[in-house]
């Protein structure tokens, strides 16, 4: 039986990957210490998702380990010798990072280095998939010429007709401390690939989403937006008239891409992983979709000041992913994703009473 090690296993992407690979017959080891509840308080608690994995996956092994614990990571990887590693544990919010710079850097950068070095020592041939972020491009996407449409911004430059590709510069722009800690990790993952010839890849995520996100105001765009809608809570729009655009990819399509890479790995690769133009929406457009599936009106307030470094328009160019892995493509539409998020929150909120 092949062994998969997933860090951040109780999070959105980690849990999806655990279930997806378990269904393909892999033995799953998950690493998570519920740090999301420390970063974001009770609303970010992921224990419910850990319990879901423990009840759904036969033989699932949970490791209550902090990836900042270097010796603990070395010992774990030595003892498991996994056939593949999917690293999704992180401090994932760019707004939160400024208040907790050491926790952010130690988790995102040093934690990643701990995992890379342990992998090099004990399983250098196992594919190592790292969840990076489109924030590695900083606010440079905001320098692309834009046009304002009725409900969204869009690129007004034919070079970006399909979105932003992996050749876009990550240098000399404002990243937020989170973006900077993720840049450092991203470059380190590439370096372990190029320098030590290890099969590593960085997936620079747009908005990764799905029914199993513990969305909070500072992280988890659609999940939090739908939760506000269902709880009749005011959603705050920060600047850009609510027309700022995100591309959204369902966590299942993320897991499917990770499987493609693990089955046929390459050295030091980088992919922009998002929903692409077809699954993009602005905040206002997302409101309409949430209302369509919940039947409830969206309450919101508008704050004219935008979030620091926020992208005005971002969608990923998926050309490279599709050309390297032609069997992979987006399979879940934005509509279907939002419908699933609405259903999942309805269940979770009802269970809480
Ligand atoms: N969700 C998005 O929209 C998005 C977008 C771009 C990139 N990403 C990246 O994808 C990855 C996964 O994101 P997600 O949305 O699933 O995040 P998440 O917060 O839902 O999951 C991360 C998990 O990691 C755990 N964790 C955090 N620090 C830890 C530590 N020090 N030790 C052990 N466990 C720890 C948390 O408890 C949480 O369960 C992250 O690297 C994130 O930066 C996410």
């Amino acid at each position: 039986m092949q062994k998969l090690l997933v860090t951040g296993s109780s999070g959105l992407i980690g849990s999806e990957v655990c279930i997806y690979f378990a269904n393909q017959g892999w033995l799953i080891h998950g690493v998570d210490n519920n740090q999301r509840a420390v970063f974001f308080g009770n609303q970010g608690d992921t224990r419910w998702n850990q319990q879901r994995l423990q009840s759904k996956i036969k033989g699932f092994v949970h490791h209550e380990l902090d990836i900042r614990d270097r010796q603990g990571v070395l010992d774990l990887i030595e003892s498991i010798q996994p056939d593949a590693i999917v690293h999704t544990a992180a401090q994932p919010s760019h707004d939160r990072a400024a208040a907790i710079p050491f926790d952010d850097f130690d988790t995102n950068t040093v934690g990643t280095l701990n995992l890379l070095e342990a992998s090099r020592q004990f399983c250098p041939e196992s594919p190592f998939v790292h969840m990076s972020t489109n924030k590695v491009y900083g606010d440079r996407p905001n320098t692309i010429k834009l046009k304002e449409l009725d409900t969204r911004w869009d690129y007004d430059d034919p070079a970006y007709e399909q979105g932003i590709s992996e050749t876009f510069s990550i240098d000399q722009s404002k990243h937020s401390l989170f973006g900077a800690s993720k840049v450092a990790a991203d470059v380190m993952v590439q370096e372990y690939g190029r320098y030590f010839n290890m099969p590593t890849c960085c997936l620079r995520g747009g908005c990764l989403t799905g029914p199993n996100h513990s969305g909070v105001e500072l992280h988890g765009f659609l999940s939090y937006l739908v939760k506000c809608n269902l709880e009749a809570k005011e959603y705050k729009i920060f600047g850009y008239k609510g027309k700022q655009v995100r591309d959204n990819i369902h966590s299942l399509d993320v897991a499917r891409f990770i499987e493609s890479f693990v089955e046929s790995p390459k050295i030091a690769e980088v992919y922009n992983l998002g929903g692409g133009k077809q699954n993009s929406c602005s905040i206002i457009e997302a409101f309409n979709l949430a209302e369509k599936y919940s039947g409830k009106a969206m309450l919101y307030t508008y704050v004219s000041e935008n979030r620091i470094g926020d992208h005005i328009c971002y969608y990923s160019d998926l050309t490279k992913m599709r050309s390297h892995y032609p069997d992979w493509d987006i399979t879940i539409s934005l509509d279907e994703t939002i419908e699933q998020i609405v259903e999942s929150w309805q269940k979770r909120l009802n269970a809480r009473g």
Side-chain angles (χ1 to χ4, degrees):
M1 213 174 179
Q2 289 195 295
K3 290 168 287 183
L4 181 71
L5 180 68
V6 180
T7 70
S9 44
S10 310
L12 168 76
I13 299 302
S15 61
E16 188 79 53
V17 167
C18 289
I19 289 183
Y20 188 83
F21 277 79
N23 287 339
Q24 316 289 323
W26 288 61
L27 177 65
I28 312 295
H29 289 266
V31 170
D32 205 299
N33 65 346
N34 198 25
Q35 190 71 22
R36 191 174 170 90
V38 178
F39 293 145
F40 302 117
N42 279 347
Q43 301 293 318
D45 199 298
T46 56
R47 288 287 178 212
W48 66 276
N49 211 9
Q50 179 189 328
Q51 283 153 12
R52 195 174 67 93
L53 297 182
Q54 284 166 321
S55 68
K56 270 195 139 181
I57 302 177
K58 210 170 149 229
F60 176 76
V61 190
H62 175 79
H63 301 272
E64 188 77 18
L65 177 71
D66 191 318
I67 60 165
R68 291 172 288 187
D69 172 357
R70 182 165 298 157
Q71 194 56 49
V73 168
L74 284 162
D75 292 345
L76 183 71
I77 294 193
E78 182 177 20
S79 70
I80 301 175
Q81 311 241 340
D83 297 287
I85 295 175
V86 180
H87 173 35
T88 80
Q91 190 299 105
S93 160
H94 60 148
D95 292 320
R96 187 82 185 101
I100 50 168
F102 293 123
D103 285 337
D104 178 84
F105 193 85
D106 287 344
T107 301
N108 291 351
T109 314
V110 183
T112 302
L113 176 62
N114 291 343
L115 287 155
L116 283 167
E117 180 52 26
S119 304
R120 184 181 76 84
Q121 289 186 25
F122 303 114
C123 54
E125 281 163 19
S126 302
F128 186 105
V129 178
H130 168 65
M131 293 309 302
S132 185
T133 169
N134 63 12
K135 296 292 180 316
V136 299
Y137 298 118
D139 62 359
R140 183 173 288 273
N142 293 351
T143 62
I144 301 171
K145 190 168 172 236
L146 296 176
K147 56 186 169 200
E148 185 176 354
L149 305 177
D150 284 350
T151 57
R152 63 158 73 191
W153 298 97
D154 202 352
Y155 302 127
D156 192 15
D157 179 341
Y160 298 99
E161 173 63 26
Q162 295 307 317
I164 291 180
S165 79
E166 295 78 0
T167 56
F168 203 77
S169 173
I170 63 170
D171 198 15
Q172 298 182 64
S173 61
K174 190 187 276 177
H175 290 84
S176 80
L177 296 191
F178 160 75
S181 68
K182 292 293 264 190
V183 165
D186 183 303
V187 173
M188 195 60 97
V189 171
Q190 291 188 57
E191 204 54 39
Y192 267 72
R194 289 204 177 83
Y195 198 91
F196 297 117
N197 211 33
M198 283 167 60
T200 68
C201 94
C202 296
L203 302 179
R204 295 178 174 164
C207 275
L208 317 178
T209 191
N212 297 312
H213 218 183
S214 308
V216 291
E217 185 173 18
L218 295 183
H219 185 246
F221 161 54
L222 286 180
S223 174
Y224 177 71
L225 185 149
V226 167
K227 184 168 181 255
C228 286
N229 174 280
L230 292 174
E231 292 185 315
K233 195 175 153 197
E234 251 177 24
Y235 183 93
K236 267 197 203 131
I237 300 176
F238 294 95
Y240 303 130
K241 305 183 187 172
K243 294 185 181 183
Q244 51 272 60
V245 170
R246 305 280 174 267
D247 67 332
N248 306 283
I249 181 169
H250 192 290
S251 48
L252 180 62
D253 283 334
V254 175
R256 289 179 46 256
F257 186 80
I258 291 173
E259 181 195 32
S260 303
F261 184 84
V262 166
E263 274 180 357
S264 182
K266 299 175 190 295
I267 303 290
E269 265 307 349
V270 170
Y271 299 98
N272 286 353
L273 168 88
K277 193 172 187 172
Q278 72 190 87
N279 271 8
S280 69
C281 66
S282 68
I283 295 183
I284 297 174
E285 291 164 353
F287 284 176
N288 293 337
L289 286 169
E291 288 175 342
K292 175 173 160 191
Y293 290 106
S294 73
K296 293 187 168 188
M298 194 79 209
L299 305 179
Y300 64 93
T301 46
Y302 184 74
V303 182
S304 54
E305 200 177 329
N306 60 274
R307 286 188 154 132
I308 300 175
D310 201 20
H311 292 151
I312 307 173
C313 179
Y314 188 97
Y315 48 87
S316 319
D317 181 344
L318 307 180
T319 308
K320 185 177 176 188
M321 294 173 71
R322 288 179 173 134
S323 77
H324 282 197
Y325 296 98
D327 289 340
W328 178 88
D329 208 340
I330 298 284
T331 61
I332 305 184
S333 69
L334 180 61
D335 262 73
E336 199 181 333
T337 303
I338 293 191
E339 191 176 8
Q340 286 186 21
I341 297 175
V342 168
E343 278 170 16
S344 160
W345 268 125
Q346 278 167 339
K347 271 193 214 140
R348 269 190 274 165
L349 294 172
N350 286 344
R352 282 183 203 170

